[in-house]
Amino acid sequence: MRALTWQGKRDVRVDTVPDPVIQDGEDVIVRITTTGLCGSDLHLYEVLGAFLDPGDILGHEPMGVVEEVGPEVTVLKPGDRVVIPFNISCGSCFMCGHGLHSQCETTQVREHGTGASLFGYTKLYGQVPGGQAEYLRVPFGNSLPIPVPDGPPDDRFVYLSDVLPTAWQAVAYAEVPPGGSVAVLGLGPIGDMSCRIAAHRGAGTVIGVDLVPERLERARRRGVHALDLKECGDDLSDAVRSLTGGRGPDAVIDAVGMEAHGSRVAAAAQSLTALLPDAPAAALMKRAGVDRLAALRTAVDLVRRGGTVSVSGVYGGAADPLPLLTMFDKQLTLRMGQANVLRWVDDILPLLTDGDPLGVDDFATHRLPLEQAPDAYAMFQKKQDGAVKVLFSP
């Protein structure tokens, strides 16, 4: 089959690789019909190479049609249409039973002290072949795949793999009161969708902050107060407070993560990992988060006293101390984590089968064949051509 493979820093290629096969009785093989390019994929493209091997198959936002099922699979059959969550969860352990599928005890990567395994996402999360490919082996076939109805186009459902549950969880964790206010930092796919979900769930004032003109305009078309960080500069806090009665929003969602432009030293340290052997590079990368917390610090500054900061953006290092004095003084609540995809499906799926209140049908800015994936990665990283969400067709 054809699949998008990692070969080195900023080097991904579509290669011919062996087809996946049934390895366990509950496995299913899915023929991928649509698969997304995620902002988290850019971390692999740029700075997390120490945790990858050449030939690793990337991608964690797939959907498709079941081709083959293992002998213990009873709820699916060939021809069924499914979406695959990005986190690999058994559905029956203690953590899954508490709705914490991203912490699944069956697939935790204990070697690295991390949570549930993820499709297409480094040794830190199991090094499981990903979904930017023609076929994908999916374990836990009786509980992990999400069946979706035939009929509507893939665009209606593919975001159940990551974008929708990640944004939904970000808003749920933000605990915006009815008619309240929320600021979303970063208007990429997760930030954009977080704005839409916040408005749908009853937020009275939704503020979005970004640097890219196309993303700002896209948000404004859906009623978001979109602020250009380049124009606001050091006056961002004043601009946000002017929209929130002078005290700041009830909640702030950090949808940026470690891509924030915060520290040249940290950026240099992260880049240095590409020049080191894997072992020292991995050790450095785990600590190269120093001062790459610009968005999180902004969130702490903007949110009103007694408010909530919800973090959906991925952070890659463990070194920089949080501004705990300010957080304690402001009596803030901080919530974060990988999305527990299956936890939110029952809330989201009705919004995809009866109308399109979240605008998923036209959410993608680019739809490309998988063979164009290398160019798409470069385009998305450079924020060119108005790229917000790219979908591939294998």
Side-chain angles (χ1 to χ4, degrees):
M1 69 172 182
R2 301 289 280 169
L4 193 282
T5 64
W6 184 89
Q7 299 296 335
K9 182 177 179 178
R10 299 180 196 163
D11 183 3
V12 294
R13 307 172 195 172
V14 179
D15 292 328
T16 299
V17 301
D19 290 352
V21 297
I22 298 288
Q23 298 179 19
D24 180 84
E26 281 196 58
D27 285 352
V28 298
I29 304 298
V30 177
R31 175 174 56 83
I32 304 303
T33 54
T34 299
T35 185
L37 171 57
C38 179
S40 297
D41 291 327
L42 296 183
H43 301 327
L44 314 184
Y45 188 66
E46 182 68 27
V47 299
L48 293 180
F51 303 105
L52 291 159
D53 291 325
D56 282 354
I57 300 173
L58 306 185
H60 58 269
E61 298 186 349
M63 71 170 293
V65 176
V66 175
E67 286 284 299
E68 184 182 358
V69 302
E72 298 173 26
V73 176
T74 59
V75 302
L76 294 174
K77 63 184 183 305
D80 286 347
R81 192 182 192 197
V82 293
V83 176
I84 309 304
F86 74 93
N87 36 40
I88 303 172
S89 57
C90 71
S92 59
C93 70
F94 175 89
M95 289 295 177
C96 289
H98 284 74
L100 295 169
H101 301 88
S102 67
Q103 308 302 322
C104 174
E105 291 180 325
T106 303
T107 72
Q108 283 177 14
V109 186
R110 290 176 173 81
E111 176 186 356
H112 295 286
T114 52
S117 296
L118 309 178
F119 286 107
Y121 213 79
T122 82
K123 298 173 186 176
L124 292 175
Y125 289 96
Q127 204 171 22
V128 180
Q132 289 172 359
E134 291 184 304
Y135 295 93
L136 178 68
R137 183 184 73 88
V138 180
F140 308 112
N142 287 317
S143 58
L144 182 59
I146 304 167
V148 295
D150 293 329
D154 282 6
D155 287 41
R156 182 64 64 94
F157 300 114
V158 67
Y159 305 115
L160 273 174
S161 60
D162 183 349
V163 173
L164 282 166
T166 297
W168 193 278
Q169 179 170 296
V171 175
Y173 280 9
E175 296 184 328
V176 185
S181 55
V182 60
V184 179
L185 306 182
L187 294 173
I190 303 303
D192 186 334
M193 186 56 74
S194 294
C195 289
R196 300 181 187 204
I197 290 171
H200 174 78
R201 287 170 58 104
T205 301
V206 180
I207 302 163
V209 181
D210 206 288
L211 297 159
V212 182
E214 295 89 346
R215 297 184 177 191
L216 293 163
E217 181 56 32
R218 176 178 163 106
R220 290 187 184 110
R221 291 197 297 267
R222 296 191 67 91
V224 175
H225 297 276
L227 302 177
D228 189 335
L229 185 58
K230 289 183 291 188
E231 293 181 2
C232 293
D234 294 338
D235 297 325
L236 177 64
S237 294
D238 293 337
V240 170
R241 291 192 174 98
S242 71
L243 296 169
T244 54
R247 65 175 58 92
D250 298 304
V252 177
I253 295 171
D254 173 3
V256 179
M258 70 177 182
E259 288 185 289
H261 301 290
S263 168
R264 293 180 181 177
V265 173
Q270 290 173 348
S271 297
L272 179 62
T273 63
L275 306 177
L276 297 173
D278 279 357
L284 176 60
M285 189 59 231
K286 286 183 177 180
R287 293 193 172 275
V290 181
D291 292 332
R292 294 285 277 185
L293 300 179
L296 183 56
R297 290 181 178 276
T298 298
V300 170
D301 175 57
L302 293 180
V303 71
R304 69 161 170 81
R305 291 179 178 271
T308 299
V309 174
S310 173
V311 181
S312 63
V314 176
Y315 283 92
D320 206 42
L322 293 170
L324 287 175
L325 187 151
T326 301
M327 294 166 67
F328 182 84
D329 177 67
K330 294 183 73 172
Q331 200 168 333
L332 303 185
T333 297
L334 178 63
R335 298 195 70 181
M336 65 185 75
Q338 297 278 11
N340 305 297
V341 173
L342 293 177
R343 163 66 179 83
W344 308 109
V345 168
D346 289 345
D347 295 309
I348 299 169
L349 194 54
L351 304 178
L352 308 179
T353 56
D354 184 14
D356 184 23
L358 301 179
V360 297
D361 284 346
D362 59 0
F363 189 71
T365 53
H366 295 73
R367 297 171 181 80
L368 301 169
L370 183 64
E371 296 293 333
Q372 294 183 24
D375 291 337
Y377 267 73
M379 172 186 68
F380 189 39
Q381 185 193 46
K382 296 173 184 176
K383 299 179 175 64
Q384 296 174 334
D385 196 31
V388 176
K389 191 60 188 178
V390 180
L391 297 178
F392 299 125
S393 299

